[in-house]
């Protein structure tokens, strides 16, 4: 049996980097049961350890989902050893978690990460001395370069499963220790979990509700604890009960750090991060730079590089695979409909989506780079100033940024907003941020109708989404969601040059979903669309797809879209299938327009540039796909709200698209 090891640390301390170092590609990503926090686990080479990458946390108090998940995992699953990762560039704050982790009586190795950066800046951390003071192994590492990573696991192996008592390693000042021990001796009568008593004692001082519920102490025990704490507070010069544990820990950290940490010599001068921030978050430059970066990202993704890669994949499907399959079917003397199913529907539908993999991958690569380097947090910070002016919470900007990737996790990220109104408003606005699945639609239409300004047109879609979100924010926060907003607190991490490997892994994780979707949902949708497009209600094959079931349905609703400039049954049907997954809009069009040559030619017959633009805007804004909708329902915890959200979005889509087409027609009519 491999030992179970868990990585615990602050957000951005390098857990995932170390996790990748240890497990390579040998990892599994899932969810923690019952919640939507991501769970990653994997095996080290040789299967010596099963490693779990716990969510990043600042403390073991139960204020966030991440903290609860981490805490419950450690207490209930009892890993054989913990690796506590400490960001060496920010050691005081990180040690605050370390001290709480040590209270849990689980063998722990402290790994002081980013030592390359600490030393590079002229500072140093005396880990041996720290280790002697803390009473646990402390190892300087760099998860980025792999320095000492093996040593961490060797030490972990020695410690794994040993008898480890928190009382032996937690060394607060004597008065505090005395108080905690008195509480421990009361607890001992009521609680079997004898290893965790010190941890529980601290939590009782903090009046942690979760722990109180877990322990089910009788009233007299609680009163006894209260008396001990009151006595302690009356004697010692600590603040009130809420902050006393934090006080005790920070005083202890101060002593720890004083002898062991040498701050970078130039700490009077500006650190690299400060220097970069002087430019990137400069009062005047921040916003232009932000837009420049985003524009560059789109320029490369949708410009020459992206389109070249896309053409390569397209060539593979349309010029190699499709003719080959056609020929095979011909040789096998297969009936006509098999050709239409396999070549038009399956290769056309699935292949049509897969051609966007290079661009999606590029986009995710840029987003991962921005996230990993530390710029993303700045972007949120920069945008916060703007968003405040509109009465929006700055914290909503993080889920909204994530919305550029995929709406579903972005909606989940809105959990980080404590206030329910903020949260619901953010959830309503996040789908307006253009997710990766909508990109194939823009790429297709921009490629056909705006060949010369492809990047600008696609970029304008993203801007349109943001603008609609901001305007909706103003509108909704003044009407439905009136109330107070919580202030914006966000850690600005240090800048890092992200490692190539980490970016590639992250990009792959995100793109994988897209490819799997193409192979499953899009595949199924293509076949379903093909079927309903070729058969009528009495299941007879039709020669003109306008007579098919799909054609009939499409014609029935197409009239609705006529004022928007795209009242064809094909467009209507694409919009409907887009509800399953937005990529389906494109794969459906590929299937519907498959007979008779290229899709670009077919599209340019039924759309004008103006109606194409209106169509893009509609698909950007109307209600998100089923999976996102289900998530919205779950996170808002109300079907009514979820439906209202979907209705609002579809209404806005209709209105904006109508405006684009009607005003556009009027203006072009005047010219
Ligand atoms: P997590 O949030 O704890 O999972 O942290 P990550 O593993 O995602 O790392 C956050 C950032 O720190 C990334 O940009 C990493 O490339 C960077 N990073 C991680 N370890 C090191 C290190 O040892 N040295 C340096 N200079 N950067 C690191
Ligand atoms: Mg991580």
């Amino acid at each position: 049996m491999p030992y179970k090891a868990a990585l615990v640390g602050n957000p951005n301390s390098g857990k995932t980097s170390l996790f990748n170092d240890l497990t390579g590609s040998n990892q599994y990503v899932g969810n923690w049961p019952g919640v939507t926090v991501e769970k990653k686990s994997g095996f080290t080479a040789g299967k010596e350890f099963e490693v779990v990458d716990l969510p990043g946390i600042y403390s073991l108090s139960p204020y966030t989902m991440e903290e609860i998940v981490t805490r419950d995992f450690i207490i209930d699953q009892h890993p054989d050893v913990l690796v506590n990762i400490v960001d060496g560039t920010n050691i005081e704050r990180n040690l605050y978690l370390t001290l709480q982790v040590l209270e849990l009586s689980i063998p722990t190795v402290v790994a002081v990460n980013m030592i390359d950066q600490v030393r590079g800046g002229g500072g140093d951390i005396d880990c041996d001395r720290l280790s002697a003071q803390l009473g646990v192994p402390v190892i300087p590492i760099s998860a980025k370069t792999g320095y000492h990573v093996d040593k961490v696991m060797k030490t972990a192996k020695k410690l794994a499963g040993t008898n480890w008592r928190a009382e032996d390693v937690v060394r607060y000042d004597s008065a505090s220790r005395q108080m905690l021990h008195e509480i421990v001796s009361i607890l001992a009568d009521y609680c079997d979990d004898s290893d965790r008593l010190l941890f529980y004692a601290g939590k009782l001082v903090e009046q942690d509700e979760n722990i109180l519920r877990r322990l089910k102490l009788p009233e007299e025990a609680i009163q006894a604890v209260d008396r001990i704490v009151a006595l302690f507070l009356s004697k010692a010069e600590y603040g009130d009960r809420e902050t006393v544990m934090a006080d005790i820990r920070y005083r202890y950290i101060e002593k720890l750090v004083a002898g062991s940490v040498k701050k970078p010599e130039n700490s009077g001068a500006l650190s690299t991060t400060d220097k970069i921030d002087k430019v990137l978050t400069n009062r005047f430059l921040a916003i232009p730079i932000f837009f420049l970066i985003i524009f560059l990202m789109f320029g490369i993704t949708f410009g020459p590089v992206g389109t070249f890669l896309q053409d390569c994949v397209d060539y593979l499907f349309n010029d190699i695979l499709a003719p080959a399959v056609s020929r095979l079917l011909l040789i096998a003397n297969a009936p006509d409909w098999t050709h239409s199913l396999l070549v038009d529907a399956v290769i056309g539908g699935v292949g049509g989506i897969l051609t966007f993999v290079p661009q999606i991958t590029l986009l995710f690569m840029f987003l991962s780079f921005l996230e990993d380097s530390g710029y993303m947090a700045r972007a949120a910070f920069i945008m916060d100033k703007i968003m405040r002016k509109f009465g929006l919470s700055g914290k909503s900007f993080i889920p909204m940024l994530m919305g550029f990737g995929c709406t579903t996790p972005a909606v989940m990220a809105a959990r980080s907003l404590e206030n329910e109104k903020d949260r619901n408003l953010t959830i309503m606005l996040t789908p307006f941020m253009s997710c990766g699945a909508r990109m194939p639609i823009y790429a297709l239409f921009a490629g056909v109708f705006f060949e010369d300004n492809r990047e600008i047109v696609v970029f304008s879609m993203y801007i349109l989404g943001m603008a609609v979100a901001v305007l909706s924010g103003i509108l909704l926060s003044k009407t439905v969601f009136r109330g107070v907003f919580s202030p914006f607190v966000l850690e600005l991490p240090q800048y890092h040059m992200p490692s190539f490997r980490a970016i590639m892994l992250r990009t792959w994780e995100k793109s994988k979903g897209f490819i799997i979707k193409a192979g499953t949902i899009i595949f199924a949708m293509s076949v379903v669309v093909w079927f309903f497009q070729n058969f009528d209600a009495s299941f007879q094959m039709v020669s003109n797809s306008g007579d098919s079931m799909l054609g009939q349905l499409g014609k029935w609703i197409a009239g609705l879209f006529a004022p928007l400039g795209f009242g064809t049954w094909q467009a209507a049907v694409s919009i409907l299938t887009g509800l399953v997954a937005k990529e389906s809009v494109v794969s459906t069009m590929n299937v519907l327009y498959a007979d008779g040559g290229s899709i670009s030619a077919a599209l340019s017959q039924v759309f004008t540039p103006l109606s194409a633009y209106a169509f893009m805007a509609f698909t950007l804004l109307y209600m998100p796909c089923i999976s996102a909708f289900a998530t919205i329902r779950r996170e808002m915890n109300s079907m009514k709200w979820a439906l209202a959200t979907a209705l609002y979005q579809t209404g806005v889509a209709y209105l904006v698209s109508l405006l684009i087409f009607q005003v556009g027609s009027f203006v072009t009519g005047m010219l």
Side-chain angles (χ1 to χ4, degrees):
M1 276 288 281
Y3 287 119
K4 249 197 287 177
L7 307 183
V8 204
N10 285 186
N12 277 311
S13 57
K15 284 179 310 306
T16 304
S17 307
L18 180 63
F19 178 78
N20 291 340
D21 287 345
L22 293 173
T23 62
S25 53
N26 199 356
Q27 46 180 260
Y28 314 92
V29 184
N31 261 340
W32 295 93
V35 294
T36 42
V37 178
E38 189 179 81
K39 176 181 183 175
K40 273 183 166 180
S41 69
F43 289 96
T44 54
K47 298 226 161 177
E48 240 175 350
F49 282 98
E50 184 191 357
V51 187
V52 178
D53 185 11
L54 292 170
I57 50 172
Y58 294 111
S59 144
L60 284 177
S61 39
Y63 296 129
T64 66
M65 202 64 74
E66 282 77 10
E67 286 168 349
I68 295 173
V69 164
T70 302
R71 194 161 103 162
D72 289 353
F73 176 84
I74 297 175
I75 297 179
D76 299 333
Q77 308 278 314
H78 205 298
D80 298 301
V81 62
L82 295 177
V83 176
N84 170 222
I85 305 183
V86 165
D87 173 357
T89 62
N90 217 331
I91 194 154
E92 286 95 341
R93 202 195 52 215
N94 279 252
L95 284 173
Y96 184 69
L97 177 67
T98 304
L99 294 181
Q100 296 181 65
V101 167
L102 293 183
E103 289 173 11
L104 290 166
S105 290
I106 295 180
T108 302
V109 182
V110 175
V112 178
N113 193 27
M114 318 235 181
I115 201 72
D116 54 322
Q117 207 170 341
V118 174
R119 288 180 184 158
D124 207 354
I125 294 170
D126 185 346
C127 288
D128 291 336
R129 189 181 159 140
L130 212 52
S131 167
Q133 286 173 294
L134 272 174
V136 307
V138 180
I139 301 169
I141 71 163
S142 166
K144 191 171 172 182
T145 64
Y147 169 75
H148 273 175
V149 165
D150 49 339
K151 195 168 166 189
V152 171
M153 292 326 276
K154 269 194 206 123
T155 315
K157 198 176 159 196
K158 271 190 228 145
L159 288 182
T162 55
N163 228 347
W164 175 286
R165 288 178 46 78
E167 281 82 346
D168 299 333
V169 296
V170 173
R171 303 173 179 189
Y172 303 136
D173 63 288
S174 62
S176 312
R177 242 167 38 209
Q178 174 69 26
M179 167 191 65
L180 289 170
H181 279 237
E182 280 169 28
I183 299 178
V184 165
S185 58
I186 293 176
L187 276 177
D189 294 340
Y190 301 100
C191 176
D192 316 325
D193 191 1
S194 62
D195 280 346
R196 227 73 63 213
L197 292 182
L198 187 66
F199 173 71
Y200 290 146
K203 290 296 146 192
L204 287 184
V205 176
E206 289 173 347
Q207 293 176 303
D208 180 323
E209 307 246 335
N210 278 29
I211 296 295
L212 275 168
R213 241 176 286 137
R214 191 185 271 259
L215 292 176
K216 299 196 194 66
L217 294 179
E219 193 53 36
E220 72 255 29
I222 292 177
Q223 281 170 6
V225 170
D226 288 348
R227 272 195 304 274
I228 295 172
V229 178
L231 188 68
F232 175 77
L233 288 176
S234 69
K235 280 194 296 197
E237 69 290 16
Y238 287 105
D240 51 19
R241 181 157 177 179
E242 250 127 63
T243 55
V244 63
M245 284 308 298
D247 246 354
I248 293 173
R249 293 193 187 110
Y250 270 117
R251 286 181 198 205
Y252 180 53
I253 290 171
E254 233 170 74
K255 270 195 287 178
L256 277 177
V257 170
S260 314
V261 176
K262 180 167 154 251
K263 292 274 169 201
E265 277 143 10
N266 57 353
S267 60
L270 291 177
S271 71
T272 318
T273 289
D274 291 338
K275 276 186 217 151
I276 300 176
D277 267 344
K278 263 206 122 102
V279 181
L280 291 190
T281 57
N282 174 286
R283 208 142 57 94
F284 303 105
L285 294 177
I287 288 170
I289 291 178
F290 171 72
F291 281 103
L292 191 75
I293 289 176
I294 303 280
F295 187 74
L296 219 69
M297 180 166 100
F298 289 116
I300 294 175
T301 307
F302 300 100
V305 181
T307 25
F308 170 75
L309 292 173
Q310 185 192 12
D311 289 344
C312 294
V313 181
D314 188 51
Y315 181 79
L316 218 67
F317 278 95
N318 281 326
D319 297 288
I320 296 184
L321 189 62
V325 173
S326 284
R327 219 167 303 131
L328 268 179
L329 290 173
L330 210 64
I331 294 169
N333 217 351
D336 268 359
W337 66 267
T338 54
H339 179 274
S340 133
L341 175 64
L342 285 179
V343 177
D344 297 344
V346 174
I347 299 182
V350 175
I353 289 305
L354 288 181
T355 53
F356 296 105
V357 167
Q359 282 168 322
I360 297 263
T361 309
L362 274 176
L363 190 66
F364 283 149
M365 233 161 73
F366 281 112
L367 285 175
S368 303
F369 181 86
L370 293 183
E371 230 170 284
D372 265 11
S373 61
Y375 184 72
M376 206 63 132
R378 265 90 184 168
F381 178 71
I382 293 163
M383 293 312 284
D384 174 55
K385 288 187 187 157
I386 301 182
M387 297 184 71
R388 258 167 209 269
K389 295 202 176 97
F390 303 115
L392 275 170
S393 159
K395 265 195 184 171
S396 356
F397 202 70
I398 298 170
M400 289 168 89
L401 274 178
M402 287 177 63
F404 285 135
C406 174
T407 309
T408 302
V411 165
M412 291 178 191
R415 288 181 174 199
S416 64
L417 287 99
E418 297 83 14
N419 177 315
E420 194 185 357
K421 277 182 177 165
D422 290 1
R423 199 164 54 231
N424 283 351
L425 179 56
T426 308
I427 291 176
M428 276 187 105
L429 302 184
T430 300
F432 287 132
M433 311 313 282
S434 187
C435 72
R438 293 166 202 174
M439 213 198 69
I441 309 175
Y442 313 148
L444 174 67
F445 280 83
V448 175
F449 296 98
F450 305 97
E451 208 175 337
D452 298 335
N453 325 67
R454 208 186 309 227
E455 301 91 325
I456 297 177
V457 167
V458 175
F459 185 58
S460 74
M461 279 295 130
Y462 284 77
I463 298 290
L464 177 66
M466 290 196 259
V468 169
V470 167
L471 290 176
S472 299
I474 298 176
L475 181 78
L476 293 172
S477 68
K478 295 228 156 89
T479 53
V480 190
F481 293 104
R482 229 169 342 173
V484 273
F485 286 95
S486 35
F488 182 74
V489 190
L490 180 78
E491 295 280 337
L492 289 189
Q494 304 246 334
Y495 284 107
H496 298 281
M497 191 61 203
S499 78
F500 182 71
R501 204 176 122 83
I503 292 208
M504 284 306 150
L505 268 167
R506 222 187 247 260
T507 305
W508 165 240
E509 256 168 39
K510 289 179 182 163
S511 316
K512 198 171 60 182
F514 188 80
I515 296 170
I516 291 173
K517 229 158 77 182
T520 52
I521 299 177
I522 304 293
F523 175 81
M525 277 311 285
S526 301
V527 175
V528 169
V529 168
W530 174 85
F531 177 81
F532 285 104
Q533 178 214 7
N534 280 290
F535 290 87
D536 64 17
S538 46
F539 294 100
Q540 298 296 315
M541 207 157 175
V542 295
S543 52
N544 177 358
S545 51
D547 301 330
S548 65
M549 283 184 264
L550 205 59
Q552 295 300 326
L553 174 71
K555 281 176 187 164
W556 190 61
I557 46 175
L560 274 176
F561 297 114
L564 316 186
F566 43 87
T568 64
W569 69 266
Q570 289 93 337
V573 166
S574 305
I575 286 170
L576 280 186
T577 58
L579 292 177
V580 176
K582 288 214 166 170
E583 301 96 319
S584 270
V585 172
V586 168
S587 60
T588 302
M589 292 214 152
N590 271 321
V591 177
L592 294 182
Y593 288 122
D595 28 68
S598 86
I599 173 137
S600 340
L603 285 180
S604 44
Q605 276 177 9
V606 282
F607 284 92
T608 62
L610 183 61
S611 68
Y613 197 80
F615 184 78
M616 287 160 76
F618 188 86
T619 53
L620 159 69
L621 301 171
Y622 81 120
M623 72 171 279
C625 67
I626 294 287
S627 128
F629 178 79
T631 313
I632 291 174
R633 198 211 68 79
R634 201 176 56 224
E635 297 294 315
M636 287 185 146
N637 205 8
S638 148
M639 191 55 162
K640 212 176 78 197
W641 269 109
L643 284 174
T645 303
L647 211 68
Y648 174 75
Q649 280 151 358
T650 311
V652 167
Y654 196 89
L655 211 72
V656 170
S657 186
L658 183 74
L659 268 175
I660 292 176
F661 186 68
Q662 294 300 341
V663 174
S665 302
F666 181 73
V667 172
T668 43
M670 302 260 295
L671 297 177

